[in-house]
Amino acid sequence: MPGIAVAPYLTYTAAMKSNEGTTEHGEAPPAPPASKETIATAYHEAGHAVMAMAVGRSIQKVTIAPGKLQFGRSRLGTCEIKKGRSKGSKDQLEDDVLVLLAGMVSESRFTGVYCPAGASQDLREVSARLCTRAASQRQHETLLKRMLSKTEHILNDEANIEAIRAITKELLEKTTISGRAVKHHFEMAQRRHA
């Protein structure tokens, strides 16, 4: 399941031998095409990252490498947000919900539909946070619709669409990218559409 994490994790990678995985001319062979699930996961994680940047959060790293969550469940990718305060947030809970919903909204640009199953962990987190503001089920549903609409609006900005595409492309090429790379793509897209 794609997800969002706030604690940094250690990542270990295997080193490749100097001539392993190259053609006779020293070039890397073309990568096999990514599966639809991998592409959807890349869009999902890129959406979390772009929304986090939009609300003033800093990213540690983003990955589409499968991994494990607590209690033995698995995840397809993660966007790790650096701990600490966000820049001038007026409503921390709203920012959290926007970041959580952004994965599913961004992924739907590729798939054409929301995938609640793939965003189930994110949606559980959204529900838990919204319960602190909603006194009834009806208020909860109204608040969720409003937050979903706001997420779609923010991610529909041309600069954010460009940033999501750039981050997705790099995730598909490299599997894991740094927060610095995310910030670069986000800021370049913002400048081009200013």
Side-chain angles (χ1 to χ4, degrees):
M1 282 174 241
I4 183 166
V6 292
Y9 296 91
L10 294 175
T11 304
Y12 298 96
T13 56
M16 192 184 320
K17 294 177 186 170
S18 61
N19 64 349
E20 186 177 319
T22 59
T23 65
E24 62 186 79
H25 303 291
E27 303 164 353
S35 70
K36 287 183 180 181
E37 182 181 67
T38 302
I39 296 169
T41 300
Y43 271 97
H44 185 108
E45 299 308 333
H48 285 312
V50 168
M51 183 62 78
M53 295 295 298
V55 299
R57 305 263 174 92
S58 296
I59 305 297
Q60 181 72 28
K61 74 173 182 175
V62 181
T63 186
I64 56 172
K68 295 285 183 190
L69 294 170
Q70 290 179 342
F71 310 113
R73 296 197 333 235
S74 61
R75 61 147 173 87
L76 298 176
T78 192
C79 174
E80 295 175 12
I81 296 175
K82 288 183 182 178
K83 287 186 178 186
R85 299 180 66 192
S86 59
K87 298 176 185 172
S89 175
K90 294 178 183 145
D91 190 340
Q92 189 75 33
L93 184 136
E94 181 174 294
D95 290 352
D96 289 347
V97 170
L98 293 173
V99 172
L100 286 162
L101 290 173
M104 182 177 72
V105 169
S106 178
E107 180 179 340
S108 73
R109 289 189 186 281
F110 170 71
T111 63
V113 295
Y114 287 142
C115 181
S120 62
Q121 180 64 34
D122 296 337
L123 293 173
R124 278 193 292 277
E125 290 288 329
V126 165
S127 184
R129 283 171 169 77
L130 292 182
C131 282
T132 65
R133 290 241 173 116
S136 68
Q137 182 63 29
R138 184 176 174 165
Q139 285 179 340
H140 187 276
E141 290 169 6
T142 301
L143 191 54
L144 178 59
K145 285 179 185 174
R146 186 175 70 77
M147 294 291 196
L148 191 55
S149 179
K150 187 170 185 176
T151 303
E152 290 170 346
H153 176 74
I154 292 169
L155 291 184
N156 201 35
D157 176 79
E158 286 299 319
N160 291 337
I161 290 170
E162 181 181 323
I164 288 169
R165 286 182 184 144
I167 293 165
T168 298
K169 182 177 185 268
E170 190 165 345
L171 281 169
L172 292 171
E173 291 169 359
K174 298 180 179 176
T175 306
T176 300
I177 63 172
S178 68
R180 179 183 246 165
V182 168
K183 183 177 181 181
H184 170 76
H185 290 303
F186 181 79
E187 289 177 348
M188 293 302 291
Q190 297 299 317
R191 282 189 202 123
R192 279 193 280 277
H193 293 277

